Amino acid sequence: MFRKINTIIGFIKINIIYRKHIILRGRVNISGNPILIFSSNAKLILGNNVTLNSNKKSYHLHMHSPTKIMADKKDAIITIGDNTRINGACIHAYKNIEIGANCLIAANTEIFDCSGHDLSMENPANRINTHGSIKNVIIGNNVWIGANCIIMPGVSIGDDSVIAAGSVVIKDIPSKCIVGGNPAKIIKEYNKNE
């Protein structure tokens, strides 16, 4: 079901055009056809054993779209750590998104470091001409993000945390906790001994 790609073959199999944009740190598992969009000098750094799943048939939830990775501003960087699995999610960076190792990102999740447009309340007609603010997104190691979540710009999620399905994360989340809702709030925190 999944294609195993090693560092040398990966550039050819993904697409020769992406050679200058994708840095592979080991094997990558690809199911289906992810959408990859890069601006000049933008980079996608994939750790060893990363999974990019766009195959609706093999996934246990309904997946609206294939995995989409956009680094669509000059010098944008998206880093995905070892053993992380991304299933039909959209990761959109203007500047920097870091996802740690051993993360689980479920279908239809949106992660972006840019607001897209300014509020422009003084001149709403000009809103369409704006690009919004940019704030880095950092997701720690061993984070599980449930289906249909939205991770807003500027958010940092601590190691070992769980984001419940359907949550909208608008502020930093500490390590070792479960959060849920819109906006996401802490449901339970675990200490280091639990």
Side-chain angles (χ1 to χ4, degrees):
M1 194 72 69
F2 288 97
R3 299 190 308 267
K4 299 279 187 190
I5 301 173
N6 68 30
T7 303
I8 296 168
I9 297 172
F11 292 122
I12 298 165
K13 290 246 182 178
I14 290 175
N15 194 328
I16 196 80
I17 198 165
Y18 296 130
R19 182 178 304 177
K20 67 181 182 177
H21 297 291
I22 298 175
I23 298 169
L24 299 176
R25 302 282 188 217
R27 296 181 349 159
V28 175
N29 308 308
I30 296 175
S31 182
N33 296 308
I35 298 168
L36 305 172
I37 300 169
F38 300 100
S39 203
S40 65
N41 295 327
K43 299 277 186 250
L44 170 62
I45 302 168
L46 297 171
N48 186 44
N49 201 37
V50 167
T51 296
L52 302 177
N53 179 27
S54 300
N55 187 339
K56 297 177 186 187
K57 292 180 182 176
S58 66
Y59 190 63
H60 67 285
L61 297 174
H62 182 67
M63 188 185 300
H64 298 303
S65 302
T67 294
K68 181 178 182 180
I69 297 177
M70 294 180 68
D72 72 343
K73 293 290 182 195
K74 186 178 185 296
D75 301 319
I77 298 174
I78 298 171
T79 305
I80 302 171
D82 294 352
N83 305 310
T84 288
R85 289 189 240 164
I86 298 171
N87 299 284
C90 177
I91 301 168
H92 181 190
Y94 273 14
K95 185 177 179 187
N96 184 51
I97 295 175
E98 295 177 32
I99 301 171
N102 306 307
C103 292
L104 301 169
I105 301 176
N108 313 315
T109 287
E110 309 280 337
I111 302 169
F112 45 96
D113 70 355
C114 49
S115 57
H117 299 282
D118 294 323
L119 287 177
S120 300
M121 296 309 269
E122 70 288 345
N123 184 6
N126 189 50
R127 187 176 293 147
I128 197 166
N129 300 315
T130 67
H131 298 288
S133 61
I134 302 166
K135 298 177 185 171
N136 295 344
V137 173
I138 310 294
I139 298 171
N141 297 318
N142 310 306
V143 172
W144 179 12
I145 301 174
N148 302 300
C149 288
I150 299 174
I151 311 300
M152 298 293 287
V155 165
S156 179
I157 300 174
D159 293 345
D160 310 316
S161 287
V162 176
I163 313 301
S167 297
V168 179
V169 181
I170 63 170
K171 62 182 183 179
D172 290 353
I173 304 298
S175 296
K176 288 191 168 289
C177 67
I178 299 173
V179 302
N182 179 7
K185 294 183 175 23
I186 294 175
I187 297 168
K188 182 168 183 178
E189 291 185 79
Y190 292 84
N191 65 40
K192 292 179 182 176
N193 299 325
E194 290 184 90

